[in-house]
Structure formats: C-alpha cells, structure tokens
C-alpha cells in the first residue's frame, strides 16, 4: 500500500468511526482534539487502527503519536516491516 492510499484509508476509517468530516483530518492536526478523544475513545481508536491495518501499537508509542501525520508515518513504517 502506498503512503497516499494509506492516508486516505486512515482518514476514511477515523472520520466514519468518530463522526468527523474527512476534511478536518490533516497531517498537522492534533488527533485528540480533532476526533474529540477521551482516554476510553483513544483506546477504541488504537484498537480500530490495529484491526484495520494489522499493526500493533503499544501504550508508550501512543503517547508519541500526537498528529495525524505521525500516525500515518507510524502505521506506514510498521506495514513496511
């Protein structure tokens, strides 16, 4: 999967799940603020990403993923392994 294809899929999945406009999801946007995540919905988001893309995200790693851009890079990097 190419990076642009991955970005579009991530945006679509998250927009549908958290009921936000796809246009609100940009590389430099804060994930928690954009998706209005609390700690429980953050866990839901991680589970959704893991299930959809077949990657594993540890708690420590989640703390370092603040923007959608960093999320795209993380998922893409894991999928390349």
């Amino acid at each position: 999967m190419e990076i642009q294809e991955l970005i579009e899929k991530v945006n679509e999945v998250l927009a549908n799940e958290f009921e936000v406009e796809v246009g609100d999801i940009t590389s430099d946007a804060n994930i928690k603020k954009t998706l209005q995540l609390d700690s429980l919905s953050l866990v839901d988001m991680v589970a959704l990403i893991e299930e959809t893309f077949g990657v594993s995200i540890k708690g420590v790693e989640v703390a370092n993923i603040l923007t959608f851009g960093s999320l795209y890079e993380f998922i893409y990097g894991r999928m390349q392994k």
Side-chain angles (χ1 to χ4, degrees):
M1 180 180 293
E2 294 298 319
I3 187 74
Q4 189 57 42
E5 193 179 353
L6 173 77
I7 290 169
E8 290 170 8
K9 179 73 173 172
V10 169
N11 292 356
E12 177 186 326
V13 167
L14 294 178
N16 288 336
E17 180 70 21
F18 294 98
E19 300 177 354
V20 299
E21 295 294 323
V22 174
D24 293 341
I25 301 175
T26 62
S27 290
D28 59 344
N30 181 283
I31 294 172
K32 288 182 181 179
K33 288 181 183 176
T34 304
L35 302 180
Q36 299 177 0
L37 301 179
D38 58 19
S39 57
L40 184 56
S41 54
L42 179 61
V43 171
D44 290 341
M45 185 203 75
V46 169
L48 179 65
I49 293 295
E50 290 179 332
E51 182 179 314
T52 303
F53 297 98
V55 298
S56 177
I57 307 173
K58 294 179 174 69
V60 179
E61 295 167 329
V62 172
N64 294 323
I65 301 173
L66 303 176
T67 65
F68 290 100
S70 59
L71 178 62
Y72 306 145
E73 290 173 14
F74 178 85
I75 296 169
Y76 190 71
R78 284 291 167 94
M79 291 177 74
Q80 300 307 305
K81 290 184 178 181

